[in-house]
Amino acid sequence: MSEEDYIDDIEEVEKEYGDRDSPEYNAWRSEVISRDKVCQCCGSKKYPVAHHIFGYEHYPKHRVDPNNGIRLCKWCHGKYHSHYGMNANPKTFVKFIRRFGTR
């Protein structure tokens, strides 16, 4: 696949499923943060982030599904990705919560 084809594929996916600047993505983020009330790892109310359970990059069809989001604080979110990389999935998220969760 050429680089041009790859870029076209990314643009096609983002048109269909939204990118991080889309109104759909912003609505997803707001819904996840307001629904969960606190960080689901440590219980903090500060610096909320909506985390994808199935990763943003590898699961585009789930990008704006509220069931594919969970509220974390920015510190727990950073810790998750530093330990498990960017390819989020439920298995690594459960490991993370068991290891670091204090809630």
Side-chain angles (χ1 to χ4, degrees):
M1 176 183 283
S2 73
E3 185 175 343
E4 189 173 295
D5 290 337
Y6 179 73
I7 290 169
D8 288 343
D9 285 350
I10 290 172
E11 288 173 354
E12 188 89 14
V13 166
E14 289 181 346
K15 279 182 197 170
E16 188 170 350
Y17 302 111
D19 62 16
R20 293 183 195 266
D21 295 325
S22 72
E24 296 84 6
Y25 187 85
N26 290 325
W28 169 83
R29 180 186 307 124
S30 294
E31 184 173 343
V32 169
I33 289 171
S34 65
R35 178 197 66 207
D36 290 347
K37 308 283 188 238
V38 298
C39 174
Q40 299 300 294
C41 184
C42 73
S44 174
K45 291 182 179 182
K46 295 181 179 180
Y47 307 108
V49 175
H51 170 73
H52 286 94
I53 298 166
F54 286 95
Y56 177 91
E57 188 71 30
H58 297 294
Y59 301 93
K61 292 180 181 178
H62 301 291
R63 285 182 181 171
V64 294
D65 176 357
N67 296 315
N68 184 38
I70 194 162
R71 179 177 171 154
L72 296 175
C73 69
K74 74 176 187 176
W75 293 285
C76 289
H77 191 238
K79 189 184 302 184
Y80 172 84
H81 286 297
S82 72
H83 282 270
Y84 299 103
M86 295 307 289
N87 187 16
N89 64 69
K91 185 177 180 180
T92 58
F93 190 74
V94 168
K95 283 182 182 180
F96 173 74
I97 292 297
R98 287 183 178 156
R99 183 173 179 192
F100 296 105
T102 59
R103 224 185 126 189

